[in-house]
Amino acid sequence: MGPHDRILGSSPGAASAGRRSVTRTTGRSVSRRQLIGGSTAGALAAFLAACTGGGQTSRQSVAAAGGSGGALQWWDQFRPLTKMLQNDLFTPFMQSHPGVKIERRQMDAPDLGQALQVGRRSNQMPDVHSMAGLGGISPAALVSEGWFQPIGKLADFAGSPLGDQLYDGVHRFNDEIYSFPPFSGRWHDAVPWYNTALLKEAGVDAEEGPGTWDELREYARKVTNGTEGDVYGTVVPSKEAEYLQNLVHRLAMAAGAPGPGAIDWKTGDYVFDSEPYVQAIEFLVALQKDKVVHPASASMGARDGRARWAAGQAGIYLWGAWFVGGLLVDEPEAVERGVGTWHLPCPTSTRNFVYNGAQAGTFWVSSQSKQAKTAAEVMLQMTTKEFQLKLASAMDQPPALAEVVAEAEVHAAYRQCVANFQDDVRIGPVPEVGNPAVWQVLAEMRDLHPNLGDIVQSVLTGSTTDIAGELKRFNDKISAERDRAIKVVQEEKGAKVDRKAWVFANWDPKKDYDQQAYAGR
């Protein structure tokens, strides 16, 4: 999702350790406590000064939502989907519904979050929007705070092809459907993408993907040493702590960590200080010691890293499924030169799964919207096989009906990537589904620093070498913070929640944790 700078949900870090990030770019963001507790005047002034992806201020974007002559306003961060949404969703709907006008604004995730916060305060919200840039807050929290209105009685989402993917506590609240997952939950954002020309020049047999981390290191060394010019085996953009945090979460899962969110579902304990997390960070350090990482990585964001890869300066880059779609938008010549993908390797030949929770809703109808029925009817079109095929063709995050990718018009590398996800990814537990009061705990939890991303950043820049010690200190802090938050919501809000809300004793690491699993918990 998102200019590829994003993707859809919340960060798997400090307070939102039970959920997985969908944000691809970092920058200014709205914290959970600001969102739930209200923002200061100074913070709002900063939001108003923020620039959107269209070069406007947040104030101008908000004003546009209320001054478009009755047009249905739609805001999101999905840059690779721009043409598809306009040509295959909005235009056909407007043609079949005379008098309906839909206007969409695409912004980078941080700017979208700020614009939404300003719009909320000024009663100028768009009719439909995504949650990118809203600080990883649970949808349940925003539903409780009155941000959204239900859509299940306005259009038949329960009877749609995605009806069996609707979860209580994720899409359905108090028996009312508020959203749906147009995208699949079976994905991760550490896909190894490679430049076929550079690997061929380096004598690497790209068809034989690296099965282990050591093999990936060997491939990176061959690219660095076996190609002409200033070419490096890989690029690890380290400017943005969130990219590093998400990367280490995925690598740790490949090393055997549970997920999502660094929670041991058998005990409910955080495991940031476990051996898989140490190994994951040590692997990134080893790449640096091998001198195969692009030397400018420390100054790069995720999109910068992709641009350097596209320019032929690095052979391998770990990012999400949206990689190809993003290249086709911004650097199509790189796709023409050749791009391929592998399974995410593991430390040893033993294969471990990467985990995601059930995919959250992507688009929500604002409680301020006067066009909720129209908005719901537009959104319902996204559940059809026809639209899911078009969604697949945009090559962003895989569509919810992932099977349509096999027949969609997509690049071979994207098709392979989605096929790999079916083998490599399993759906893990989401605490809010098991106990809706969990969101109150997550909202109460304070952001802790240094968090996982900060720690990885410090290690890669040489500010610290005590990987195990830093992880242990963070694990102790976040555990104590969760205990504090639980006590607060118990005593002040009467919430019926305790540490057991994070325990899923019937979790089978080899299987999806589905709706039946919640029922049998």
Side-chain angles (χ1 to χ4, degrees):
M1 318 177 157
H4 345 168
D5 294 339
R6 92 119 193 34
I7 198 154
L8 315 151
S10 52
S11 276
S16 54
R19 301 189 61 79
R20 173 58 53 183
S21 173
V22 210
T23 302
R24 299 180 194 163
T25 52
T26 53
R28 304 166 305 277
S29 62
V30 182
S31 75
R32 296 180 313 279
R33 292 171 69 82
Q34 280 179 314
L35 209 53
I36 297 301
S39 302
T40 65
L44 279 173
F47 296 154
L48 288 167
C51 223
T52 71
Q56 300 168 298
T57 65
S58 291
R59 185 195 302 273
Q60 290 169 334
S61 288
V62 169
S68 299
L72 187 147
Q73 296 294 317
W74 181 296
W75 293 0
D76 65 57
Q77 79 284 14
F78 299 110
R79 187 177 181 189
L81 305 186
T82 294
K83 288 185 178 179
M84 188 275 297
L85 287 174
Q86 189 62 50
N87 296 339
D88 300 309
L89 180 62
F90 301 144
T91 296
F93 190 90
M94 288 187 287
Q95 289 174 342
S96 62
H97 295 77
V100 172
K101 183 179 181 181
I102 304 170
E103 294 184 350
R104 172 178 176 264
R105 289 179 180 273
Q106 179 268 318
M107 309 175 217
D108 283 351
D111 299 322
L112 175 59
Q114 294 158 15
L116 290 171
Q117 181 77 341
V118 175
R120 171 88 173 155
R121 298 295 184 185
S122 60
N123 293 317
Q124 297 183 76
M125 289 287 281
D127 297 281
V128 180
H129 64 84
S130 67
M131 289 178 55
L134 291 181
I137 190 67
S138 166
L142 298 185
V143 169
S144 177
E145 291 294 310
W147 274 64
F148 311 127
Q149 55 183 301
I151 58 175
K153 294 179 181 178
L154 303 177
D156 187 16
F157 290 93
S160 76
L162 302 185
D164 61 351
Q165 298 190 38
L166 303 177
Y167 280 76
D168 290 337
V170 179
H171 316 102
R172 187 186 293 109
F173 306 91
N174 297 322
D175 296 324
E176 295 274 9
I177 296 172
Y178 280 77
S179 190
F180 67 98
F183 299 96
S184 172
R186 210 174 298 281
W187 64 275
H188 67 77
D189 42 12
V191 177
W193 297 98
Y194 62 83
N195 180 314
T196 55
L198 288 179
L199 266 66
K200 183 178 181 180
E201 181 183 346
V204 174
D205 183 1
E207 293 300 318
E208 279 295 319
T212 67
W213 288 356
D214 283 345
E215 290 175 356
L216 183 60
R217 289 174 63 187
E218 178 61 24
Y219 284 16
R221 286 193 291 268
K222 286 184 176 180
V223 172
T224 304
N225 299 323
T227 52
E228 295 183 2
D230 292 330
V231 177
Y232 295 86
T234 188
V235 57
V236 183
S238 306
K239 179 181 178 180
E240 299 165 350
E242 186 174 359
Y243 172 86
L244 294 174
Q245 173 174 271
N246 295 341
L247 176 60
V248 168
H249 271 298
R250 304 310 195 179
L251 291 172
M253 289 182 221
I263 297 284
D264 181 345
W265 302 119
K266 299 292 186 181
T267 65
D269 294 330
Y270 288 110
V271 292
F272 286 97
D273 58 345
S274 62
E275 185 60 24
Y277 277 88
V278 175
Q279 289 180 320
I281 299 175
E282 288 179 341
F283 170 64
L284 296 180
V285 172
L287 290 173
Q288 282 196 336
K289 289 183 177 178
D290 290 345
K291 299 186 185 304
V292 300
V293 177
H294 195 294
S297 290
S299 63
M300 294 184 201
R303 288 182 69 187
D304 300 323
R306 192 198 66 208
R308 296 297 185 109
W309 182 96
Q313 297 178 22
I316 303 165
Y317 183 28
L318 275 61
W319 209 14
W322 49 86
F323 187 78
V324 176
L327 287 172
L328 287 170
V329 171
D330 293 328
E331 296 104 357
E333 66 282 355
V335 179
E336 294 175 8
R337 287 196 298 269
V339 54
T341 187
W342 298 310
H343 292 274
L344 177 64
C346 301
T348 68
S349 58
T350 299
R351 301 296 303 171
N352 296 302
F353 292 109
V354 173
Y355 301 97
N356 267 339
Q359 186 62 47
T362 302
F363 301 108
W364 305 77
V365 176
S366 168
S367 59
Q368 296 179 13
S369 174
K370 300 297 191 295
Q371 304 186 63
K373 183 170 177 56
T374 299
E377 290 174 347
V378 175
M379 292 164 66
L380 183 65
Q381 304 310 304
M382 302 179 79
T383 71
T384 66
K385 180 180 178 181
E386 292 74 18
F387 182 84
Q388 289 280 301
L389 274 166
K390 296 293 187 179
L391 190 60
S393 68
M395 290 177 280
D396 198 89
Q397 185 171 335
L401 301 179
E403 62 272 16
V404 305
V405 174
E407 56 183 290
E409 295 182 8
V410 298
H411 191 280
Y414 181 84
R415 183 176 286 111
Q416 185 62 57
C417 171
V418 176
N420 289 349
F421 286 157
Q422 311 314 304
D423 296 331
D424 298 345
V425 181
R426 294 294 178 265
I427 304 301
V430 177
E432 296 97 310
V433 176
N435 183 344
V438 166
W439 77 261
Q440 296 185 56
V441 177
L442 299 181
E444 172 61 30
M445 289 177 70
R446 296 170 295 204
D447 292 323
L448 302 177
H449 294 278
N451 60 23
L452 177 62
D454 300 329
I455 291 169
V456 181
Q457 208 169 45
S458 295
V459 171
L460 295 182
T461 57
S463 297
T464 181
T465 58
D466 185 14
I467 297 173
E470 293 287 352
L471 291 175
K472 179 64 166 62
R473 284 184 283 274
F474 175 61
N475 203 75
D476 290 346
K477 288 180 181 179
I478 193 172
S479 299
E481 178 59 16
R482 182 177 61 176
D483 289 342
R484 183 199 67 80
I486 289 173
K487 185 176 181 180
V488 169
V489 299
Q490 285 175 337
E491 295 179 352
E492 297 183 5
K493 302 180 181 179
K496 295 181 180 179
V497 61
D498 56 26
R499 288 276 297 276
K500 293 180 182 177
W502 283 263
V503 176
F504 294 82
N506 64 341
W507 175 60
D508 183 342
K510 297 180 181 180
K511 297 180 179 180
D512 290 340
Y513 201 86
D514 58 18
Q515 307 217 34
Q516 283 188 324
Y518 286 103
R521 182 182 173 193

